[in-house]
Amino acid sequence: MIKVEHLSKKFGELTVLSDVNAEIKKGEVISIIGPSGTGKSTFLRCLNLLEVPSGGNIFIGDTDILHQSADVPKIRQKMGMVFQSFNLFAHLTVLENLTIGPIKLLGWSKEQAEKKAIGLLKMVGLGEKIDSFPDELSGGQKQRVAIARCLAMEPEIILFDEPTSALDPTMVSEVLAVIRRLAKEGMTMAIVTHEMDFARDVSNRVFYMDEGIIYEEGTPRQIFDFPQKEKTRAFIHRIRNFTYHIGTPNYDLYAMNGEIETFCEKHVIPKETRNKVLLLVEELLAIFSTGSGTQAFDIDLTLSYAEKQDSLDLIMESAGAYLNPFEENVLSDQLGTTIIKSLSENMGFQRVNERNRLRLTVRKP
């Protein structure tokens, strides 16, 4: 139904979208997630031409909506949009907000438009609010009216731009319930959201956006349980990172250990786990310092704490010759390796770009 090819968008010198490629099929629900400022809302606004793309192609069915011959107003009628700020007409009643579009743009009679509107308001649980004005409604009610107003135009596709971000937590569930109902009824939808549990529950596919592109996509299970890329994994699991670079054999061990302690305290990591981390770092540095040599002393240490799993990963990279401490007969002294194995699990080694990369999970108490 929607096909996007090499979409880009610039605001002056700022590149917001660089090379977006995507396809949304009829009846699919796509959740779009990612950090703030990565182009998620701009992507939606380009789909219905509220923002004019700087390059690329957008096809709705067989129609390239960026072609000069495209009938943009007609295309927009097929694609409704629900905004985070509701965008209701404050001077019109709820009923009038729903009927103005069908009457003026679709040529419906007042009676026809009102009948449709009343049915939609009942569907979103607001049948008794037809004569109310927007300022008499709660935030959740306003957003449900906005959804009903969008449906009144009988769109084939609905775009939701963070539909719950302006709502109090108590009002979020009532809006999400309406979207869930639309999903069950087969409405094609693309939803920018920060509600991860909702995205997992309602979506056919999830787009993770970062760096102005769709950085990773897949089913909810693939994205939330088995993300393939580091940035996706960090976002999904709300990972907090500590990094430390060692560029000389005369590094300040006490300063580094102090920073590790501070990181662990900040994330309420138990003292027993902290002590394991410090011992692991000491043993790993003893091994990798030997392999680095003084001429190219280059070691990167990273601690990654995944709040959701309550797990702590330790990654150490070093320049120099190939050195996998877990291979037999690589080290003359195996005591350090034995200590590392006893304090950790899920150990893995890679040789990447002429660097040794060891990743392990600190064993819980």
Side-chain angles (χ1 to χ4, degrees), residues 153-303:
M153 294 294 293
E154 299 189 334
E156 297 177 13
I157 306 157
I158 302 182
L159 310 176
F160 291 88
D161 186 11
E162 299 191 38
T164 61
S165 64
L167 303 179
D168 293 333
T170 55
M171 300 176 185
V172 170
S173 61
E174 62 191 66
V175 173
L176 297 184
V178 173
I179 299 175
R180 281 192 178 94
R181 176 171 177 171
L182 295 176
K184 289 179 181 178
E185 293 175 355
M187 175 62 72
T188 306
M189 294 184 285
I191 309 166
V192 172
T193 182
H194 290 292
E195 301 286 340
M196 297 297 105
D197 290 338
F198 169 75
R200 178 195 285 269
D201 179 47
V202 79
S203 309
N204 299 105
R205 285 187 294 142
V206 176
F207 294 168
Y208 172 74
M209 289 193 69
D210 208 334
E211 300 178 358
I213 62 172
I214 296 176
Y215 188 79
E216 186 170 353
E217 67 173 277
T219 65
R221 187 167 185 267
Q222 288 170 331
I223 295 298
F224 290 106
D225 295 336
F226 304 102
Q228 298 300 302
K229 298 185 178 181
E230 287 290 338
K231 286 188 177 183
T232 315
R233 193 156 41 236
F235 179 81
I236 295 300
H237 299 312
R238 298 192 298 278
I239 289 175
R240 302 293 182 264
N241 291 332
F242 164 80
T243 59
Y244 197 90
H245 177 71
I246 302 171
T248 170
N250 300 315
Y251 63 92
D252 189 336
L253 174 65
Y254 297 103
M256 181 187 68
N257 285 349
E259 291 192 36
I260 291 174
E261 287 268 16
T262 300
F263 172 81
C264 292
E265 289 174 2
K266 178 180 178 182
H267 297 291
V268 200
I269 295 170
K271 186 171 181 61
E272 185 177 346
T273 303
R274 293 183 223 169
N275 291 337
K276 288 181 180 179
V277 171
L278 293 173
L279 183 53
L280 279 167
V281 169
E282 181 181 343
E283 294 297 336
L284 286 169
L285 284 175
I287 292 171
F288 284 110
S289 296
T290 302
S292 294
T294 57
Q295 298 301 314
F297 205 93
D298 183 2
I299 298 176
D300 288 308
L301 166 69
T302 301
L303 285 174

Side-chain angles (χ1 to χ4, degrees), residues 54-158:
S54 303
N57 301 97
I58 302 173
F59 293 92
I60 307 296
D62 296 326
T63 303
D64 183 353
I65 66 173
L66 298 181
H67 193 275
Q68 60 183 6
S69 64
D71 187 344
V72 174
K74 186 175 181 180
I75 292 167
R76 281 199 179 124
Q77 290 177 18
K78 296 181 179 181
M79 191 181 302
M81 188 158 185
V82 177
F83 302 87
Q84 55 184 299
S85 54
F86 321 130
N87 288 8
L88 298 176
F89 295 112
H91 65 291
L92 300 180
T93 66
V94 166
L95 184 63
E96 290 168 340
N97 264 279
L98 265 68
T99 58
I100 187 172
I103 291 172
K104 290 186 174 293
L105 298 177
L106 301 182
W108 289 11
S109 68
K110 182 179 179 182
E111 292 74 21
Q112 182 185 9
E114 288 185 349
K115 182 178 179 180
K116 176 75 171 181
I118 291 169
L120 289 170
L121 288 170
K122 288 179 179 178
M123 187 200 81
V124 300
L126 294 172
E128 79 284 2
K129 298 292 185 180
I130 60 173
D131 295 322
S132 299
F133 286 88
D135 62 3
E136 298 174 318
L137 305 176
S138 69
Q141 290 171 335
K142 289 177 184 177
Q143 194 61 291
R144 283 186 281 159
V145 170
I147 294 172
R149 181 183 61 178
C150 179
L151 291 169
M153 294 294 293
E154 299 189 334
E156 297 177 13
I157 306 157
I158 302 182

Side-chain angles (χ1 to χ4, degrees), residues 334-348:
Q334 294 293 322
L335 177 60
T337 303
T338 302
I339 293 173
I340 292 168
K341 288 181 177 179
S342 70
L343 298 176
S344 58
E345 54 191 3
N346 301 326
M347 294 170 289

